[in-house]
């Protein structure tokens, strides 16, 4: 059962259910995906909205066909351009931390990559703005999101650590690339009560990252350092 408010309307409609590529068979079947979700639960993911979103998004369409049989292993996979699609547990955990048990209106994601995390967020929030610095990946992510008929996502080619439209106010920011220093410019876009989830280098050491949650309170910011993770670097400029 999908929790109320989960925006899975298009992804699960009957027409899509008939589509072989979408549904997958064998190692890409809904059963294999359900097993991935069961493992996420065992590994401590508790948020039912997140688990339902992970269950709804076919991860195999985001990876090369030769890797599709490994799409539901809990492991990162290469997607080309020197980038990787994150391990499912990391995607689930970041989405869970962004939600903090509350419905999300608007989310800003930095690092769209193949669009997988974007799709998961799109089922757990009303609107997603996602920014990717590699043009070829923007095209790929756009294709994947269109295939899933996710209409609540705006994807932009740009440097997500650079200044953005000042008027943009969001409930959550999910940075899906490793930052050596806190991307402070982004904090201005957080509403009070909003959270930024970012893999942040410990003592500036890029190889030692921890998921970090920065929450905007009425009086300032609260920081929480959580699990160790390994992300490709957050880089300036576009490619
Ligand atoms: N979210 C992905 C994994 C992220 S990989 C998933 O669904 O699994 C990190 C991505 O961040 C890469 O695509 C990389 O090109 C992008 N990136 C790195 N620095 C960036 C920046 N400054 N602005 C926007 N995107 C950036």
């Amino acid at each position: 059962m999908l929790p109320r408010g989960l925006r899975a309307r298009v992804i699960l409609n009957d027409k899509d259910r008939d589509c072989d590529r979408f549904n997958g068979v064998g190692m890409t079947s809904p059963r294999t995906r359900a097993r991935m979700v069961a493992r996420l639960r065992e590994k401590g993911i508790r948020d039912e909205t997140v688990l339902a979103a992970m269950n709804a998004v076919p991860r195999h369409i985001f990876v090369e066909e030769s890797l599709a049989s490994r799409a539901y292993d809990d492991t990162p996979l290469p997607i080309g351009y020197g980038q990787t699609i994150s391990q499912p547990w990391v995607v689930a955990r970041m989405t869970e931390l962004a939600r903090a048990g509350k419905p999300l209106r608007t989310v800003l994601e930095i690092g769209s990559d193949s669009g997988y995390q974007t799709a998961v967020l799109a089922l757990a929030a009303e609107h997603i703005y996602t920014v990717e610095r590699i043009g070829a990946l923007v095209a790929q992510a756009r294709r994947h999101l269109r295939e899933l008929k996710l209409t609540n996502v705006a994807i932009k080619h740009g440097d997500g650590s650079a200044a953005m439209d000042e008027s943009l106010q969001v409930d959550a920011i999910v940075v899906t690339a490793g930052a050596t220093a806190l991307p402070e410019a982004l904090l201005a876009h957080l509403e009070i009560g909003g959270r930024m989830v970012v893999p942040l280098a410990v003592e500036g050491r890029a190889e030692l990252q921890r998921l970090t949650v920065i929450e905007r309170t009425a009086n300032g910011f609260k920081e929480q350092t959580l699990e160790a993770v390994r992300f490709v670097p957050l880089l300036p400029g576009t490619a």
Side-chain angles (χ1 to χ4, degrees), residues 7 9-10 62 105-109 112 114-131 138 141-146 148-156:
R7 299 175 68 87
R9 64 220 182 274
V10 254
F62 293 85
R105 220 171 37 247
T106 313
V107 177
L108 170 64
E109 181 194 37
S112 329
S114 66
Y116 176 66
Q117 167 95 63
T118 318
V120 172
L121 287 168
L123 295 186
E126 300 266 334
H127 300 288
I128 315 295
Y129 293 101
T130 182
V131 183
V138 172
R142 201 168 267 144
R143 211 171 49 243
H144 293 148
L145 296 166
R146 199 171 290 153
L148 298 184
K149 300 193 176 65
L150 290 167
T151 52
N152 59 338
V153 179
I155 175 163
K156 193 185 138 196

Side-chain angles (χ1 to χ4, degrees), residues 1-235:
M1 259 302 267
L2 293 167
R4 276 171 71 87
L6 184 75
R7 299 175 68 87
R9 64 220 182 274
V10 254
I11 216 165
L12 294 170
N13 73 21
D14 288 335
K15 186 169 142 284
D16 292 327
R17 276 177 186 283
D18 292 341
C19 167
D20 281 351
R21 168 161 153 75
F22 211 84
N23 257 342
V25 289
M27 291 308 285
T28 60
S29 69
R31 276 184 63 183
T32 312
R33 190 155 64 246
R35 276 200 294 275
M36 172 191 82
V37 172
R39 282 195 303 274
L40 293 175
R41 215 182 266 283
E42 282 165 19
K43 290 185 180 178
I45 304 298
R46 291 280 169 269
D47 186 326
E48 291 299 330
T49 298
V50 173
L51 291 165
M54 298 293 294
N55 198 40
V57 179
R59 189 169 184 259
H60 63 274
I61 73 161
F62 293 85
V63 302
E64 279 170 33
E65 226 158 307
S66 60
L67 292 171
S69 66
R70 298 180 56 203
Y72 298 103
D73 292 354
D74 195 15
T75 179
L77 293 170
I79 61 143
Y81 311 97
Q83 306 302 320
T84 52
I85 178 169
S86 296
Q87 178 190 358
W89 178 84
V90 167
V91 172
R93 182 70 177 134
M94 290 180 96
T95 310
E96 181 173 72
L97 290 169
R99 267 179 43 85
K102 287 175 277 189
L104 289 169
R105 220 171 37 247
T106 313
V107 177
L108 170 64
E109 181 194 37
I110 309 299
S112 329
D113 189 81
S114 66
Y116 176 66
Q117 167 95 63
T118 318
V120 172
L121 287 168
L123 295 186
E126 300 266 334
H127 300 288
I128 315 295
Y129 293 101
T130 182
V131 183
E132 170 56 54
R133 66 179 288 278
I134 300 178
L137 286 178
V138 172
Q140 209 180 87
R142 201 168 267 144
R143 211 171 49 243
H144 293 148
L145 296 166
R146 199 171 290 153
E147 193 171 359
L148 298 184
K149 300 193 176 65
L150 290 167
T151 52
N152 59 338
V153 179
I155 175 163
K156 193 185 138 196
H157 182 208
D159 177 355
S161 47
M164 269 179 229
D165 182 349
E166 274 176 33
S167 64
L168 181 66
Q169 286 289 295
V170 299
D171 302 292
I173 301 173
V174 177
V175 181
T176 72
T180 41
L182 194 62
E184 288 188 18
L186 292 176
L187 293 174
H189 299 289
L190 271 187
E191 282 169 2
I192 291 176
R195 288 160 303 281
M196 173 158 81
V197 185
V198 54
L200 187 61
V202 178
E203 291 156 11
R205 293 168 61 190
E207 75 288 359
L208 242 179
Q209 304 164 356
R210 281 189 176 271
L211 281 185
T212 306
V213 179
I214 314 284
E215 185 179 343
R216 180 168 209 160
T217 66
N219 325 316
F221 294 94
K222 251 185 3 202
E223 184 171 331
Q224 213 187 347
T225 304
L226 300 159
E227 295 91 349
V229 284
R230 186 172 279 262
F231 274 82
V232 297
L234 186 69
L235 297 172

